[in-house]
Amino acid sequence: MERLDKFLVECGIGSRSQVKNILKSGAVTVDGVVQKDGAVKIDPGKQEILYAGEALQGKRRVVAMLHKPAGFVTATEDKQERTVMELLPPELARQDIKPVGRLDKETEGLLLFTNDGDLLHRLISPKKEVPKVYYARHEGQATQDDVKAFADGLTLRDGTVCRSAALEPIGAGESRITVCEGKYHQVRRMMASRGMTVLYLKREREGCLELGALALGEVRELTAREITELDNECR
Ligand code: URA
């Protein structure tokens, strides 16, 4: 059982205050009876809830990707900093979606959001080994010894042991790094353990997904096909 107004917001018909007005207008019926009280408890599995005569399906699964700009922390709220939630359009913010894992404040790139708690946990589980690909600009030049050290599994300066990862030098002070875990500041600390300071970091891919043409600061929902592929990847 859940509150009618919460259910209506989750269905995406409007914000909390819009839903209040929609209810007041008498546009919502529960089992054929107009219901104006948002606090009333309903069971969407057993009751028929109509809005303007149309049946509501309840919470839909939402997965979205953001091209995160630098300067935003990955958190649902923060007293001092701007959060990635501020970059979501209101219709998505209303869907109770949360960031999947985290990117540092200064890191750019692909950040997923979902309201599916099970998918979220599978995506961040090191057991599922969903690969994440980063582009890094850094001080120092990556050598073949560094490539081997990444592949063998690095030990960070504080003793943390990392799983095997791929380091691919792609130019002077530029590398591509693929990791299957999400430890705190992982890429920056892995590079630091080999004497390289990361100056710029961007996540280009997560599993089967890539940023593509999504502009910095923009958000888009994944297609049904992308969600299925992602789901299969971390099953
Ligand atoms: N590794 C980092 O060091 N920072 C990120 O934001 C993501 C991976």
Side-chain angles (χ1 to χ4, degrees):
M1 299 291 272
E2 62 177 299
R3 280 177 64 118
L4 176 60
D5 49 6
K6 183 165 175 279
F7 170 80
L8 295 171
V9 172
E10 280 173 2
C11 288
I13 69 166
S15 63
R16 245 169 229 250
S17 59
Q18 286 166 335
V19 158
K20 213 172 177 182
N21 289 330
I22 289 169
L23 282 165
K24 237 196 253 170
S25 76
V28 176
T29 60
V30 177
D31 288 338
V33 179
V34 170
Q35 183 54 263
K36 296 188 175 184
D37 180 5
V40 90
K41 291 276 171 49
I42 49 133
D43 182 347
K46 295 200 180 118
Q47 291 175 290
E48 185 187 51
I49 296 132
L50 305 184
Y51 166 49
E54 300 259 337
L56 296 173
Q57 303 304 326
K59 178 171 160 177
R60 69 185 176 91
R61 177 155 87 149
V62 176
V63 189
M65 71 159 81
L66 164 71
H67 187 162
K68 179 190 173 299
F72 292 82
V73 295
T74 308
T76 48
E77 46 189 16
D78 193 284
K79 290 213 168 70
Q80 271 115 40
E81 308 277 2
R82 289 184 298 170
T83 75
V84 290
M85 305 309 281
E86 293 170 39
L87 297 162
L88 301 177
E91 64 277 12
L92 270 181
R94 247 183 249 139
Q95 301 290 331
D96 200 23
I97 59 175
K98 297 196 169 53
V100 177
R102 67 189 292 281
L103 289 178
D104 299 335
K105 183 178 168 190
E106 295 316 326
T107 303
E108 291 186 354
L110 196 164
L111 182 64
L112 291 175
F113 289 80
T114 185
N115 58 3
D116 178 342
D118 176 59
L119 177 66
L120 190 150
H121 285 111
R122 283 188 282 127
L123 279 168
I124 59 176
S125 164
K127 283 197 205 114
K128 304 291 178 188
E129 300 198 344
V130 176
K132 295 157 198 94
V133 182
Y134 296 87
Y135 163 83
R137 232 179 303 115
H138 49 85
E139 275 173 4
Q141 183 59 33
T143 65
Q144 284 313 306
D145 281 351
D146 297 321
V147 172
K148 184 170 182 317
F150 269 61
D152 289 347
L154 282 174
T155 301
L156 303 180
R157 285 176 173 164
D158 67 354
T160 304
V161 178
C162 298
R163 294 206 183 161
S164 175
L167 170 67
E168 182 197 353
I170 52 174
E174 286 181 296
S175 297
R176 192 157 277 122
I177 299 116
T178 305
V179 296
C180 293
E181 314 170 276
K183 296 187 196 303
Y184 181 66
H185 290 335
Q186 181 154 359
V187 173
R188 293 174 201 274
R189 292 197 296 152
M190 286 170 103
M191 295 297 274
S193 78
R194 299 296 302 177
M196 292 173 280
T197 305
V198 170
L199 305 172
Y200 170 81
L201 189 63
K202 173 180 179 174
R203 180 148 74 199
E204 297 177 324
R205 296 187 65 100
E206 180 156 358
C208 56
L209 300 168
E210 60 184 334
L211 278 173
L214 193 65
L216 193 65
E218 286 200 344
V219 188
R220 75 165 175 89
E221 277 196 52
L222 301 193
T223 62
R225 181 187 285 203
E226 285 174 321
I227 296 178
T228 306
E229 223 178 305
L230 191 64
D231 223 354
N232 289 338
E233 212 167 6
C234 57
R235 199 158 281 288

